[in-house]
Amino acid sequence: MEPRTITLHDCQFSTYMYEEEIIARIHMLAEQLEQDYAGKNPLFLAVLNGSFMFTADLMKRINMPCEISFIRMSSYQDMQSTGNVREVLGLTENIEGRDVVVIEDIVDTGHTVNALLQQLNEKQPASIEIITLLMKPECLQHQLDVKYVAKSIPNDFVVGYGLDYNGLGRNLRDIYKIVS
Ligand code: 5GP
């Protein structure tokens, strides 16, 4: 297929992963989850905003009893510390004793998922696993065991299928990578 090029703000992006490939990979992950969580009623926690499209397509393909809820990670500069402070927002469920599956759009440095896991683990779930649409293994700065990955990619900035560039691009059905 001829690559398509789009412009968002000041940057050009070209098609990188088409919807068909995304959905095929989601099918495989859904089957794996169904096997791994058979008889368990897992609680899926989707991290907004970026995971909304991935979450919808994944959940439609999971045929077993399960629950789904949505959380956010705040990200603000703490004057007292060097890095960003990330805090879980919107978690209303009691996750004690639950089998939790966190749904992410992309794991880059792993700072976000690492902070999320620390905070969720304090609430004593029975288990926690991560499922992510994309992962950039070259960028990972934490020892994270991300069990379910739709696709590992190089260190390129990508948009589409939920992922944005300064607010634009979340609605695109394919994933694009930056060219200039
Ligand atoms: P991490 O904490 O793992 O470094 O970054 C995770 C967050 O950074 C993602 O949830 C996403 O919002 C953002 N991010 C990282 N890489 C990309 C990328 O290539 N494209 C977009 N649109 N966002 C990214």
Side-chain angles (χ1 to χ4, degrees), residues 15 93 112 116 157 159:
T15 35
E93 281 73 17
T112 309
L116 185 54
F157 188 80
V159 293

Side-chain angles (χ1 to χ4, degrees), residues 104-112 136 156-158 163-164:
E104 266 288 7
D105 52 355
I106 185 163
V107 178
D108 186 329
T109 62
H111 292 328
T112 309
K136 298 180 183 171
D156 294 315
F157 188 80
V158 291
L163 290 152
D164 76 313

